[in-house]
Amino acid sequence: NLMHDAYLTSQMDSQMSAPISVIMKFGKIKTLTQDVEVLKEALAESTAVTVVGDRIKSNVKPPGRSTIILRDIASDVPEDEVRAIFAYDGCKPISSIRKDIENTWFVIMDSEEDAKDTVLDLKLKKRTFRGEPVKCRLKTEVVVKSYFPVAAQNPGAQGSYGGQGGYGMMPQYSDMRMYGGYGGNWQNNGQQGDFSKGDGSPGR
């Protein structure tokens, strides 16, 4: 319920952690225990949160850090043909491949480092698809916070966990493209760069 609880997110710091004292005030927690040590013990092996001193930190991880986006490849292209792009010696393991909208494909690698190395390899090895240079970029998403109003039927009413409605810090995902010398598509004075050129010059 983190995305919808304005009170809870307003109590979190930049590291996505909140005081245990705040969590202990939640109605559902009160029905289970009023002992902080019991709560800490229950969360010790949790994969969703980590207990750090007197705070509980959300283990929200930015998704997409190990994803490569391939452009200008139609959705009706056989997956085997897309996989053939990566059929070269030393290619990092591919976890999965799936097609997406607007003639794009998502290639999921095992790690961010593998994704970075693969994007670089595609450029240096001049990999092609149906005679054209492969167009790709590394997809990276980061968690950011921003203030915005949370709609409530009854202003001032308590939220799901006993928090107050109103303004809060809600985590959002924003697409932040990461290139760092790996070429790829990026904005250049309002124009789209072309990975295939590798020099940041405006693409078609």
Side-chain angles (χ1 to χ4, degrees):
N1 199 50
L2 179 61
M3 291 295 291
H4 306 287
D5 194 320
Y7 174 73
L8 175 57
T9 53
S10 72
Q11 300 300 305
M12 300 178 76
D13 60 17
S14 61
Q15 301 302 313
M16 299 293 286
S17 73
I20 292 180
S21 59
V22 171
I23 308 301
M24 293 297 295
K25 295 177 182 178
F26 291 175
K28 291 183 179 180
I29 298 297
K30 287 181 177 180
T31 61
L32 297 174
T33 183
Q34 296 183 35
D35 190 328
V36 173
E37 295 305 318
V38 171
L39 178 61
K40 287 184 176 181
E41 183 177 350
L43 297 177
E45 298 182 3
S46 172
T47 58
V49 299
T50 301
V51 177
V52 183
D54 292 327
R55 302 182 71 86
I56 296 179
K57 181 180 183 299
S58 171
N59 291 337
V60 173
K61 294 183 178 180
R65 296 182 70 87
S66 60
T67 302
I68 297 173
I69 299 180
L70 302 179
R71 293 196 305 110
D72 296 344
I73 298 180
S75 59
D76 59 354
V77 169
E79 182 178 315
D80 288 344
E81 191 172 350
V82 177
R83 285 184 176 273
I85 296 174
F86 304 88
Y88 57 84
D89 292 339
C91 181
K92 304 295 183 180
I94 295 175
S95 296
S96 64
I97 293 180
R98 65 179 177 84
K99 57 189 174 182
D100 205 77
I101 61 174
E102 298 181 353
N103 295 333
T104 60
W105 286 70
F106 286 176
V107 181
I108 315 300
M109 311 301 289
D110 286 342
S111 68
E112 181 177 355
E113 286 302 314
D114 283 357
K116 288 180 179 179
D117 290 344
T118 301
V119 169
L120 183 59
D121 280 346
L122 293 175
K123 176 182 178 181
L124 296 179
K125 296 179 182 297
K126 299 181 179 179
R127 301 297 294 176
T128 62
F129 175 77
R130 295 185 176 180
E132 295 293 330
V134 173
K135 297 178 181 178
C136 69
R137 67 176 174 87
L138 182 64
K139 177 184 179 184
T140 303
E141 294 183 358
V142 297
V143 176
V144 297
K145 286 185 174 183
S146 62
Y147 283 97
F148 63 92
V150 179
Q153 291 181 345
N154 298 313
Q158 289 191 332
S160 301
Y161 294 103
Q164 297 295 323
Y167 286 83
M169 294 182 70
M170 299 291 287
Q172 295 178 309
Y173 295 102
S174 63
D175 187 8
M176 184 180 73
R177 298 176 182 179
M178 215 172 104
Y179 306 100
Y182 293 96
N185 303 308
W186 50 280
Q187 295 298 322
N188 182 11
N189 295 326
Q191 294 180 300
Q192 187 82 8
D194 193 331
F195 175 85
S196 62
K197 296 181 180 181
D199 59 0
S201 58
R204 291 175 291 178

